[in-house]
Amino acid sequence: EPLIEPFLLFDIMKFLATLSFLAAAVTPVASQSIIDLAAADGKYGTLLGAVTDTAGVLDAVTSNFPVTIFGPTDAAFADIASVVAGLDEAALATVLASHVVPGVFTAQNVIDAGCVELVTLSGANVRVMYKDGKVMVNESTVIQADIIGDGGIIHGIDKVILPGSYHACPAKSSKKMSSSSGKGSGKGSKRRMV
């Protein structure tokens, strides 16, 4: 007498084939880098072009992963095209580095904190605050939050961050804030939450 009845063997094989198919369907796909996600989005072509075409900027960003990038949209760059056109390569590199902070900071981190002062890769400060139902970075508004990928997070903003647009958080209480990833406290990054 057979150990397994033929109809039962068929059911077992059908079950195993289904299980194998389902396992293949849920196998995680390699996640994309934040650079690839920004490119796929279609709104950040000017930023990506400037980052890749300006000497040293892409290396500075990727060597500090994980990072938070406050990414101006193409429309934000178009609004100040004449200003950007007048910048030499070193000044443009400084402006671009002023949009990148070591560590990962989600919109929820800022909403919970109220206001955070972060030091960018250029050494300049940015104020990120929750005000009137919006997350603001200096004078720009986050219009697309939490694009998360390998290497960190991007927040799309509606204005390019320019020198002189920083104002400190309103004085209340001072606390330290760490990034969501637990990284970023090194490499000179500083944060003050008030």
Side-chain angles (χ1 to χ4, degrees):
E1 172 173 337
L3 291 175
I4 300 177
E5 295 295 326
F7 68 88
L8 184 58
L9 183 59
F10 176 75
D11 286 342
I12 292 171
M13 290 180 68
K14 191 166 97 174
F15 171 76
L16 290 174
T18 303
L19 188 61
S20 175
F21 174 77
L22 290 174
V26 296
T27 301
V29 179
S31 62
Q32 291 184 290
S33 76
I34 55 175
I35 306 296
D36 293 337
L37 290 170
D41 188 278
K43 290 190 291 276
Y44 304 100
T46 305
L47 173 65
L48 293 172
V51 166
T52 56
D53 293 345
T54 306
V57 174
L58 183 59
D59 288 339
V61 172
T62 58
S63 68
N64 280 282
F65 276 0
V67 296
T68 298
I69 299 175
F70 301 108
T73 62
D74 293 339
F77 275 104
D79 288 345
I80 63 159
S82 61
V83 173
V84 172
L87 297 175
D88 63 25
E89 191 170 85
L92 180 58
T94 298
V95 167
L96 294 170
S98 295
H99 291 79
V100 183
V101 176
V104 174
F105 299 92
T106 65
Q108 191 62 51
N109 292 142
V110 176
I111 292 167
D112 292 345
C115 191
V116 198
E117 296 170 2
L118 304 172
V119 179
T120 67
L121 293 184
S122 73
N125 288 333
V126 290
R127 177 194 65 209
V128 188
M129 68 185 295
Y130 184 66
K131 179 179 177 187
D132 300 327
K134 298 176 184 173
V135 176
M136 307 291 293
V137 183
N138 289 357
E139 302 302 321
S140 63
T141 302
V142 173
I143 57 172
Q144 186 177 12
D146 297 344
I147 304 168
I148 301 170
D150 284 346
I153 189 167
I154 301 172
H155 303 289
I157 57 176
D158 66 350
K159 294 180 184 167
V160 176
I161 300 169
L162 293 172
S165 63
Y166 167 77
H167 300 284
C169 288
K172 286 186 183 175
S173 63
S174 181
K175 302 177 199 169
K176 289 282 186 185
M177 178 178 177
S178 62
S179 66
S180 298
S181 69
K183 295 182 181 179
S185 58
K187 299 185 184 173
S189 68
K190 298 176 187 169
R191 333 159 160 55
R192 187 169 72 93
M193 180 172 71
V194 291

